[in-house]
């Protein structure tokens, strides 16, 4: 994967938090909310210094041109050939206007938190190979439309990368256990803060000032300022969001059981093969005894490998991903219901008065 | 006769085909997305030493009849300016525009921006380039946006379209009159929360803010509503005491707003609320069970492998 690398992996200091420029946040949210419900994808550029990752710029990738592109194709966009070229061109041009064009990760949009898939893992593995501080910014479009912006920064945890390396991408059970990897540790979350430049702050104050807001109706007392507070979060309807969430949760549980089924199948096969091998070893042992008496060459007991092939263990990665996804849905439901139940109880109290 | 001063009649930006000249309408309103403004500011911060102003291209959409232009994003174009001449990297503009267009096929070239309020001959030249036939905004007029980013004074944003005011044919490319067009700031619903988050940092010393959870957001909104109610009730109390003069318009406005609370039978309402609450609690219980079971599976798996 040829990203224009300006930083050697061994010399990077780990980052513990992410600072995003305000312009980047606005660009990101606009791109993801506009391409809803398709997954939107783009690259983020910035600088990692002083254990803080500063994201200074971002640009979207062109939507994939193949018709009938599934969501997973878009999500693997950072690695498709056309997009690598696009990215190289873009970075070259941005360098000319003094923008520090150092890729530090990519961003994706997610629908109700469903972003734990193979594409995510592949992208992050390749990105973190060049720059261990790469992150993925996940913007949840459905939640942001209701309340505050839901943006999270993740990167693959150390245990995950170690397991990946140790098992060569196959994720066998022993590699997983040895590296202490549970589904909760696949991604680690980094805290995000938004920073405005001085000029940006000046602009925000200007937008809020009375000279700028055009009151179309001079008799109205409602402020039409761009920055007037947003009270949508006090709305009471819950059904569509919660319903969708539960639907996805049940689907993931079904996927989980399907995956469990394949693993059980493998285990049964393994058991059968092993019992067959044991029988064969017993047989050769008795044959060897006979042959020794007849002074014929003995067959070694280790030769069972020539006759039997053990089934290969399926990768545990899917299992881990699905479990993490289920966990994510459950967390979302809990967070959401905490807000809604507080609102409900507040209204109930006011009704009783 | 004319107590109003002198007038100058200006034709719309002339297009070569007279038949179509009347059908290309002039923009009457320009809508700016806040994101483009931030991009422009960002570019200003990164300008080279000694550059007074920076210029770049504006991209956006035009409405069906051409009367409304929406500016959605902007990118910078390197340029060199001296007292005698100005040089813009047109190749850069073309390549960058193509790249941007691939990512956002709906956005087209609508104009250019500059970060100083002055309009001089160079502006006219650049405006000409952007309105040109080959890869300008022909036959629509190009929009020019100037933004004053001098830290000592207020940030002001002005938008113009140009029209020819040529006197001499050989100097026609250098002379044009910039006609101001009203502009307004608009954003989509989905961007509103983003903008609000960014704006919450404007009063902080460090210009930083972190992403707050839903519950904290709810608390903030409720606190704001409570403070608003406090202010209104303090005002009403003071009017009733006679300490401050009452305003009939405000009083009527308040009355009409307060009467918006719906009248429902309290028992009915209580039943609705209870069932609603029960739905939520059921779902929470379900999700908690699933989560616990996953964790249990996980630990069982690990012990099974080890043994």
């Amino acid at each position: 994967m040829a990203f224009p690398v300006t930083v050697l992996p061994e010399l990077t200091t780990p980052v513990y938090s992410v600072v995003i420029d305000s312009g980047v946040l606005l660009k990101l949210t606009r791109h993801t909310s506009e391409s809803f419900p398709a997954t939107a994808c783009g690259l983020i550029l910035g600088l990692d210094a002083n254990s803080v990752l500063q994201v200074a710029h971002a640009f979207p990738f062109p939507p994939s041109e193949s018709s009938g592109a599934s969501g997973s194709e878009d999500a693997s966009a950072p690695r498709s050939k056309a997009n690598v070229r696009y990215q190289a061109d873009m970075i070259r041009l941005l360098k000319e206007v003094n923008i520090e064009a150092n890729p530090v990760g990519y961003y994706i949009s997610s629908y109700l938190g469903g972003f734990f898939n193979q594409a995510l893992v592949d992208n992050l593995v390749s990105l973190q190979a060049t720059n261990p501080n790469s992150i993925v910014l996940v913007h949840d479009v459905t939640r942001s439309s209701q309340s505050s912006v839901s943006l999270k920064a993740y990167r693959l945890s150390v245990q995950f990368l170690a397991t990946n390396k140790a098992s060569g991408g196959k994720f066998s059970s022993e590699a997983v256990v040895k590296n202490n990897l549970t589904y909760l540790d696949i991604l680690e979350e980094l805290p995000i803060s938004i920073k405005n430049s001085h000029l940006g702050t000046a602009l925000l104050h200007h937008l809020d000032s009375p000279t700028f807001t055009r009151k179309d109706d001079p008799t109205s007392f409602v402020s039409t300022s761009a920055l007037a507070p947003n009270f949508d979060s006090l709305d009471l309807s819950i059904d569509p969001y919660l319903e969708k969430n539960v639907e996805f949760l049940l689907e993931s549980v079904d996927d989980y059981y399907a995956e469990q089924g394949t693993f059980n199948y493998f285990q049964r096969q393994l058991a059968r093969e092993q019992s067959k091998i044991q029988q064969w070893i017993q047989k050769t042992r008795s044959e060897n005894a006979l042959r020794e008496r007849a002074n014929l060459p003995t067959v070694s007991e280790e030769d069972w490998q020539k006759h039997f092939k053990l089934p290969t263990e399926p990768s545990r990665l899917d299992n881990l991903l699905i479990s993490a996804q289920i966990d994510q849905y459950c967390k979302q439901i809990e967070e959401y219901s905490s807000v809604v139940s507080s609102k409900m109880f507040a209204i109930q109290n006011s009704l009783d008065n | 006769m004319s107590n109003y001063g002198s007038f100058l009649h200006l034709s719309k930006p002339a297009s070569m085909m007279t038949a179509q000249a009347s059908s290309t309408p002039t923009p009457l309103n320009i809508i700016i997305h806040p994101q483009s403004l931030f991009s422009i500011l960002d570019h200003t911060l990164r300008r080279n030493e000694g550059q007074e102003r920076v210029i770049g291209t504006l991209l956006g959409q035009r409405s069906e009849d051409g009367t409304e232009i929406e500016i959605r994003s902007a990118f910078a174009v390197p340029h060199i300016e001296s007292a005698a001449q100005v040089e813009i990297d047109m190749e850069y503009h073309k390549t960058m525009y193509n790249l941007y267009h691939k990512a956002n096929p709906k956005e087209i070239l609508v104009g250019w921006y500059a970060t100083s309020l002055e309009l001089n001959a160079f502006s006219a030249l650049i405006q000409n380039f952007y309105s040109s036939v080959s890869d300008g905004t022909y036959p629509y007029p190009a929009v020019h946006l100037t933004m004053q980013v001098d830290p000592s004074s207020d940030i002001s944003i002005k938008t113009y379209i140009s029209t020819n005011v040529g006197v001499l044919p050989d100097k026609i490319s250098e002379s044009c009159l910039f006609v101001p067009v009203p502009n307004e700031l608009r954003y989509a619903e989905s961007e509103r929360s983003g903008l609000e988050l960014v704006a919450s940092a404007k009063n902080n010393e460090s210009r930083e803010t972190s992403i707050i959870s839903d519950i904290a957001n709810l608390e903030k909104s409720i606190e704001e509503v409570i403070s608003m109610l406090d202010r209104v009730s303090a005002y009403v109390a003071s009017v009733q005491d006679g300490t401050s003069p009452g305003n009939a318009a405000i009083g009527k406005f308040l009355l009409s707003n307060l009467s918006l609370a719906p009248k429902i039978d309290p028992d009915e309402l209580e039943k609705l609320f209870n069932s609603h609450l029960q739905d939520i609690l059921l779902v929470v219980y379900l999700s908690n069970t699933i989560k616990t079971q996953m964790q249990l599976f996980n630990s069982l798996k690990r012990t099974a492998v080890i043994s």
Side-chain angles (χ1 to χ4, degrees):
Chain A
M1 243 347 7
F3 289 117
V5 175
T6 51
V7 152
L8 294 174
E10 301 85 43
L11 300 178
T12 45
T13 50
V15 299
Y16 297 110
S17 65
V18 179
V19 170
I20 303 184
D21 205 34
S22 39
V24 171
L25 180 75
L26 291 176
K27 249 198 232 186
L28 215 150
T29 48
R30 211 191 63 173
H31 180 225
T32 49
S33 41
E34 267 173 18
S35 27
F36 182 78
T39 16
C41 195
L43 201 74
I44 51 179
L45 312 164
L47 205 60
D48 55 349
N50 300 333
S51 73
V52 165
L53 187 71
Q54 293 172 345
V55 178
H57 204 258
F59 59 82
F61 281 128
S64 56
E65 288 128 11
S66 55
S67 57
S70 62
S72 58
E73 266 193 55
D74 278 338
S76 65
R79 292 179 311 130
S80 70
K81 288 214 183 65
N83 282 334
V84 170
R85 252 181 297 132
Y86 180 90
Q87 184 182 301
D89 287 337
M90 204 55 153
I91 289 184
R92 191 173 38 94
L93 289 176
L94 288 174
K95 278 211 164 92
E96 284 186 28
V97 272
N98 301 337
I99 294 182
E100 55 235 2
N102 182 25
V104 290
Y106 76 110
Y107 67 85
I108 53 172
S109 67
S110 92
Y111 184 56
L112 269 185
F115 57 88
F116 277 98
N117 47 24
Q118 185 71 32
L120 174 80
V121 168
D122 292 335
N123 286 337
L124 275 180
V125 164
S126 62
L127 274 177
Q128 285 190 231
T130 39
N131 182 0
N133 288 327
S134 306
I135 56 169
V136 60
L137 286 176
V138 179
H139 180 236
D140 193 340
V141 186
T142 39
R143 292 216 26 219
S144 301
S145 58
Q146 299 190 329
S147 55
S148 67
V149 172
S150 155
L151 187 72
K152 295 218 156 83
Y154 296 110
R155 65 159 176 233
L156 291 176
S157 63
V158 177
Q159 300 110 309
F160 187 85
L161 288 173
T163 322
N164 195 16
K165 221 164 58 157
S167 59
K170 293 293 281 177
F171 288 93
S172 60
S173 311
E174 28 173 309
V176 166
V177 170
K178 211 158 52 136
N179 286 308
N180 242 348
L181 180 68
T182 64
Y183 66 88
L184 295 166
D185 306 320
I186 298 182
L187 293 175
E188 54 177 322
E189 189 177 333
L190 297 168
I192 301 179
S193 59
I194 315 282
K195 191 153 181 154
N196 293 332
S197 58
H198 287 290
L199 284 178
T201 317
L203 177 68
L204 288 169
H205 279 287
H206 171 69
L207 290 180
D208 211 14
S209 69
T211 52
F212 187 78
T213 59
R214 278 206 316 196
K215 291 202 168 52
D216 299 314
D217 177 15
T219 60
S220 138
F221 294 106
V222 180
S223 158
T224 51
S225 151
L227 303 178
N230 179 9
F231 293 116
D232 283 348
S233 58
L234 297 178
D235 195 17
L236 281 180
S237 72
I238 59 158
D239 296 318
Y241 178 78
L242 207 58
E243 207 180 293
K244 276 254 159 60
N245 227 336
V246 173
E247 216 178 280
F248 285 156
L249 181 63
L250 294 178
E251 268 178 27
S252 312
V253 172
D254 285 337
D255 287 339
Y256 184 79
Y257 275 109
E259 210 273 336
Q260 277 285 70
T262 47
F263 191 70
N264 286 341
Y265 179 72
F266 155 74
Q267 279 191 322
R268 278 196 301 265
Q269 283 226 306
L270 186 67
R272 247 180 287 158
E273 284 293 315
Q274 284 193 329
S275 64
K276 270 198 270 183
I277 289 171
Q278 287 302 332
Q279 282 179 344
W280 188 86
I281 289 183
Q282 294 290 355
K283 216 174 63 168
T284 44
R285 212 173 280 167
S286 50
E287 275 185 11
N288 282 343
L290 287 172
R291 283 189 199 187
E292 268 178 38
R293 269 188 250 141
N295 282 333
L296 283 173
T298 58
V299 179
S300 149
E301 285 174 16
E302 304 302 318
D303 279 348
W304 60 263
Q305 279 167 355
K306 284 196 225 143
H307 299 265
F308 298 97
K309 202 171 80 109
L310 285 177
T312 47
E313 183 180 352
S315 160
R316 309 248 69 202
L317 179 63
D318 284 333
N319 191 318
L320 286 171
L321 286 177
I322 296 180
S323 323
Q325 184 69 76
I326 293 182
D327 191 57
Q328 171 80 7
Y329 286 137
C330 292
K331 244 193 290 194
Q332 274 174 205
I333 292 182
E334 277 174 26
E335 278 177 13
Y336 185 73
S337 61
S338 66
V339 175
V340 174
S341 42
S342 335
K343 280 192 262 185
M344 304 290 294
F345 280 118
I347 305 254
Q348 225 180 24
N349 273 335
S350 73
L351 271 188
D352 290 339
N353 293 347
Chain B
M1 189 177 73
S2 68
N3 302 328
Y4 307 102
S6 49
F7 297 88
L8 182 65
H9 176 73
L10 295 167
S11 58
K12 287 188 303 207
S15 55
M16 292 303 119
M17 296 180 256
T18 47
Q20 282 193 2
S22 49
S23 62
T24 50
T26 42
L28 298 176
N29 193 16
I30 296 185
I31 302 169
I32 312 177
H33 279 234
Q35 179 215 311
S36 45
L37 293 177
F38 277 97
S39 304
I40 299 176
L41 288 180
D42 195 42
H43 183 212
T44 321
L45 285 175
R46 294 171 197 279
R47 66 179 183 275
N48 289 324
E49 280 282 337
Q51 258 196 329
E52 279 290 327
R53 64 173 178 167
V54 287
I55 65 172
T57 316
L58 293 170
L59 302 165
Q61 283 179 332
R62 251 179 265 276
S63 69
E64 283 293 315
D65 52 359
T67 50
E68 220 171 61
I69 296 186
E70 207 177 311
I71 298 177
R72 310 183 97 185
S73 53
F75 63 80
V77 175
H79 90 294
I80 311 166
E81 190 173 322
S82 64
Q85 60 168 350
V86 67
E87 220 175 273
I88 312 172
D89 197 343
M90 295 201 235
E91 268 309 307
Y92 182 96
H93 158 76
K94 251 190 281 202
T95 354
M96 192 64 141
Y97 175 62
N98 283 333
L99 284 181
Y100 252 86
H101 195 63
K102 252 202 295 190
N104 295 316
K106 282 193 269 180
E107 292 190 13
I108 54 173
L109 182 67
V110 293
W112 63 290
Y113 69 83
T115 50
S116 82
L117 280 183
E118 66 169 65
L119 303 165
N120 53 17
F122 295 147
S123 313
L125 276 173
I126 304 173
Q127 177 77 6
N128 229 17
F129 162 64
Y130 273 97
S131 314
S132 63
V133 182
S134 55
D135 42 24
T137 58
Y138 186 83
Y140 297 100
V143 170
H144 176 43
L145 184 140
T146 54
M147 194 159 156
Q148 188 190 26
V149 290
D150 190 13
S152 56
S153 51
D154 219 9
I155 292 189
S156 59
I157 306 166
K158 293 196 173 44
T159 44
Y160 307 92
I161 56 166
S162 72
T163 182
N164 287 338
V165 86
V167 217
L168 301 166
D170 51 335
K171 281 208 133 188
I172 198 162
S173 60
E174 282 184 2
S175 33
C176 73
L177 187 75
F178 286 98
V179 178
V181 179
N183 59 39
E184 68 177 288
L185 199 75
R186 216 188 278 175
Y187 45 86
E189 260 314 303
S190 46
E191 300 171 39
R192 187 169 185 184
S193 33
L195 193 61
E196 201 179 307
L197 184 65
V198 165
S200 63
K202 72 177 194 277
N203 290 322
N204 292 347
E205 188 59 42
S206 63
R207 298 171 285 127
E208 251 183 61
T209 179
S210 56
I211 298 197
I212 51 182
S213 66
D214 285 347
I215 276 256
N217 200 28
L218 180 70
E219 188 185 341
K220 214 170 64 154
S221 320
I222 292 186
E223 275 174 11
E224 276 175 19
V225 174
I226 290 180
S227 76
M228 289 201 302
L229 288 175
D230 283 339
R231 267 183 297 174
V232 170
S233 56
Y235 170 73
V236 169
S238 71
V239 169
Q240 279 190 321
D241 291 342
T243 41
S244 43
N247 188 337
I250 297 185
K252 284 194 198 135
F253 180 71
L254 285 175
L255 198 62
S256 63
N257 276 346
L258 286 174
S259 62
L260 285 175
K263 286 240 172 307
I264 314 178
D265 180 29
D267 285 338
E268 180 88 27
L269 201 57
E270 190 148 337
K271 249 193 290 179
L272 277 174
F273 271 126
N274 281 336
S275 56
H276 214 195
L277 199 59
Q278 276 177 352
D279 287 340
I280 297 178
L281 290 177
L282 170 72
V283 173
V284 171
Y285 179 69
L286 179 67
S287 74
N288 270 338
T289 340
I290 294 183
K291 215 159 83 145
T292 341
Q293 191 169 25
M294 297 297 303
Q295 287 174 349
L296 198 63
F297 272 170
N298 196 37
S299 33
L300 277 178
K301 207 171 19 170
R302 301 162 64 67
T303 49
V305 171
I306 293 174
S307 69

